[in-house]
């Protein structure tokens, strides 16, 4: 039996996760909990909001003959699939291997490397992992003005028909009486905070000068600071498998323009969950692995106390990446990573501010920016590393923007930072 025949047959035998149509590549409505087409759902390992009840200590039921394959043969099969299917939509066959049963899933997780190591986005957890060091991950954002929705796709630019565009994340601007916020989800038609596809949110202040990025899951290996009060949402609809927290992982600040002079925006990003030392030689950014679990699984001892009328939130800093939070005050080497926008230069002939986007941005816009690291000289980071663009965002057409990010940012963090460009900033322009 050929390798593709094996993959095709195991995809048809998956139980409880959904099947994929080989002809059109569409999901049956259960994979990734999407209600739309395959472009708008993750064929991944997202937890089922209503898992089947099992007796305590009972192992999940294995899936027929495929669960009994010799480990050596199974490892060889998955390695061949992982090596041959490097890009989407063919990459979904790797996800199909992990969805067969527990033994297939464990081996697939060992075979598939992190995004930093292999440069390939495979599972939803890849969106929370830092990008590769050697090259940026190239994406594009499509804006829908009618619904205030922003869709992040993987790829250089939109394809002709859009059938092969891989949706990574979706965001919607939610307007309320006193405030607005951007809710980020895995799919484009469910932005409920109680959904298993909820990833995080972005909240601006009244003037549009400061934005707070909240993650639905705690940063990797992070511990709660003693002076913070984590809490959970209370909802009759919430399953124990769903994420129940908001974690303050980053802050984006825009410089206040008092005289309202026209010019490029000045912004600074404080990445509370990423230490500044990660960009040093040998440094390492926090990298979550596995799948995205619920708050109940990751932090069962957290308090559920919350202030009345306020949404729960938990603040993290780079110093909380260690499990010891009772020690002395951290040194400057443990400070959070700071990002600043690269200053453009004034072009006399064009009479405009210019940045070198290397062909990725073609339309002048106040939303265009590039972010570089702003580090303390004591860290000894080379000048070339400080000039390296970590995130760039720019316009290429009507409601179409490119977004390129790299280590140490993740796709979720980069997308949230770019969303700040779309909000109204009366005090900055």
């Amino acid at each position: 039996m050929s390798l593709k025949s094996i993959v095709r047959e195991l995809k048809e035998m998956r139980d409880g996760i959904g099947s994929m149509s080989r002809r059109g590549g569409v999901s049956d409505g259960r994979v990734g909990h999407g209600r739309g087409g395959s472009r708008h759902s993750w064929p991944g390992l997202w937890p089922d909001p209503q898992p089947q009840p099992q007796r305590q200590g009972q192992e999940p039921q294995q899936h027929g003959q495929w669960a009994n394959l010799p480990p050596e043969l199974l490892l060889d099969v998955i390695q061949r699939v992982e090596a041959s299917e490097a890009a989407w939509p063919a990459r979904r066959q790797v996800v199909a291997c992990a969805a067969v049963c527990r033994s297939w899933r464990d081996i697939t997780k060992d075979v598939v490397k992190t995004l930093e190591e292999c440069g390939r986005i495979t599972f939803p957890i890849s969106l929370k992992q830092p990008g590769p060091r050697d090259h940026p991950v190239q994406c594009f954002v499509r804006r829908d003005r009618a619904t205030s929705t922003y869709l992040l796709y993987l790829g250089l630019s939109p394809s002709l028909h859009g059938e092969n565009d891989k949706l990574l994340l979706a965001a919607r601007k939610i307007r309320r009486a006193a405030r607005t916020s951007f809710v980020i989800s895995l799919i484009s038609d469910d932005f409920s905070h109680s959904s298993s596809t909820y990833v995080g949110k972005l909240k601006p202040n009244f003037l549009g000068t400061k934005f707070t990025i909240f993650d639905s899951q705690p940063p990797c290996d992070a511990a709660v600071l003693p002076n913070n009060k984590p809490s959970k949402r209370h909802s009759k609809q919430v399953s124990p498998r769903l994420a129940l927290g908001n974690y303050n992982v980053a802050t984006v600040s825009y410089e206040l323009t008092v005289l309202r002079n026209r010019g490029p925006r000045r912004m600074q990003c404080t990445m509370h969950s990423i230490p500044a030392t990660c960009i040093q030689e040998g440094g390492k950014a926090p990298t979550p692995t596995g799948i995205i679990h619920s708050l109940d699984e990751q932090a069962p001892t957290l308090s559920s106390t919350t202030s009345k009328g306020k949404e729960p939130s938990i603040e993290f800093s780079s110093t909380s990446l260690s499990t010891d939070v009772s020690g002395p005050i951290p040194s400057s080497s443990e400070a959070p990573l700071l990002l600043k926008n690269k200053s453009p230069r004034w072009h006399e002939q064009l009479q405009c501010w210019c940045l070198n986007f290397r062909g990725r941005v073609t339309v002048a816009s106040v939303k265009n920016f590039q972010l570089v690291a702003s580090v303390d000289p004591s860290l000894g980071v080379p000048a070339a590393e400080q000039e390296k663009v970590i995130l760039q965002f720019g316009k290429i057409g009507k409601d179409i923007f490119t977004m390129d990010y790299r280590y140490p940012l993740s796709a979720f963090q980069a997308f949230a930072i770019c969303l700040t460009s779309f909000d109204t900033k009366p005090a900055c322009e």
Side-chain angles (χ1 to χ4, degrees), residues 8 16 20 28-29 44 50 63 182 194 242 263 288 309 319 404:
R8 187 185 313 121
M20 312 273 303
D28 64 352
Q50 295 180 351
H63 293 229
F182 292 83
S194 60
L242 303 184
T319 59
D404 301 341

Side-chain angles (χ1 to χ4, degrees), residues 406-426:
R406 65 194 308 157
Y407 177 91
L409 290 183
S410 67
F412 163 71
Q413 294 166 342
F415 185 45
I417 293 174
C418 293
L419 287 175
T420 64
S421 294
F422 293 106
D423 196 55
T424 304
K425 302 171 182 62

Side-chain angles (χ1 to χ4, degrees), residues 30 38 88 151-152 235 264 269 279 282 298 350 375 395 421 428:
R30 298 176 64 187
S38 63
W88 288 89
L151 305 179
L152 175 67
S235 172
C269 304
I279 61 175
Q298 294 200 13
L350 299 178
V375 298
K395 191 173 183 179
S421 294
C428 300

Side-chain angles (χ1 to χ4, degrees), residues 33-45:
H33 306 284
R35 300 180 181 86
S38 63
R39 292 191 298 136
H40 304 287
S41 60
W42 265 95
L45 303 176

Side-chain angles (χ1 to χ4, degrees), residues 59-320:
E59 290 293 329
Q61 182 180 2
Q62 298 293 308
H63 293 229
Q65 58 181 341
W66 299 110
N68 301 320
L69 287 179
E72 297 79 6
L73 176 59
L74 180 57
L75 177 62
D76 182 66
V77 169
I78 296 179
Q79 285 178 338
R80 289 172 179 266
V81 175
E82 201 278 336
S84 61
E85 312 297 354
W88 288 89
R91 190 72 176 167
R92 67 182 60 185
Q93 295 186 6
V94 181
V95 182
C97 291
V100 175
C101 61
R102 179 184 291 271
S103 59
W104 282 67
R105 177 173 180 164
D106 292 340
I107 293 181
T108 304
K109 288 171 60 178
D110 293 336
V111 171
V112 177
K113 303 301 181 182
T114 63
L115 179 59
E116 179 185 351
E117 296 172 327
C118 69
R120 301 172 181 174
I121 293 179
T122 307
F123 303 116
I125 193 62
S126 302
L127 305 177
K128 297 291 185 74
Q129 296 175 345
R133 295 174 182 260
D134 300 333
H135 61 276
V137 178
Q138 296 179 317
C139 311
F140 66 92
V141 178
R142 187 187 299 272
R143 175 176 57 180
D144 187 342
R145 295 175 181 267
T147 59
S148 298
T149 302
Y150 307 86
L151 305 179
L152 175 67
Y153 292 95
L154 179 65
L156 293 173
S157 60
S159 60
L160 184 60
H161 301 290
E163 295 178 355
N164 294 327
D165 294 340
K166 172 58 186 173
L167 179 69
L168 300 180
L169 293 168
R172 175 167 293 174
K173 188 174 183 178
I174 309 297
R175 294 180 175 85
R176 293 184 173 87
R179 57 184 175 85
T180 62
S181 63
F182 292 83
V183 179
I184 304 175
S185 172
L186 283 179
I187 58 178
S188 60
D189 54 2
D190 187 0
F191 295 95
S192 172
H193 286 69
S194 60
S195 171
S196 62
T197 59
Y198 171 71
V199 178
K201 66 179 180 180
L202 175 72
K203 292 182 64 176
N205 63 358
F206 177 75
L207 295 177
T209 57
K210 184 177 181 180
F211 297 79
T212 305
I213 301 174
F214 293 96
D215 196 335
S216 64
Q217 303 294 329
C220 179
D221 299 330
V224 181
L225 294 179
N227 59 344
N228 293 315
K229 295 182 179 181
S231 57
K232 303 178 181 180
R233 296 186 185 88
H234 298 278
S235 172
K236 297 180 181 180
Q237 303 293 331
V238 174
S239 163
R241 295 287 299 175
L242 303 184
L244 299 174
N246 284 320
Y247 298 84
N248 182 352
V249 295
T251 303
V252 182
S253 301
Y254 285 82
E255 183 176 321
L256 182 64
T257 304
V258 180
L259 301 179
R260 302 186 63 86
N261 56 321
R262 303 294 295 179
R265 296 170 176 172
R266 295 189 179 96
M267 59 187 297
Q268 177 175 285
C269 304
T270 305
M271 312 305 298
H272 303 299
S273 59
I274 304 177
T277 53
C278 71
I279 61 175
Q280 287 181 307
E281 185 177 357
K284 186 70 175 177
T287 306
T289 56
I291 65 173
I292 302 179
H293 300 283
S294 68
L295 183 62
D296 288 345
E297 295 175 351
Q298 294 200 13
T301 59
L302 298 183
S303 170
S304 59
T305 305
T306 182
S307 301
K308 185 176 181 181
K310 294 184 178 180
E311 291 190 358
S313 63
I314 306 171
E315 291 189 0
F316 280 84
S317 68
S318 60
T319 59
S320 68

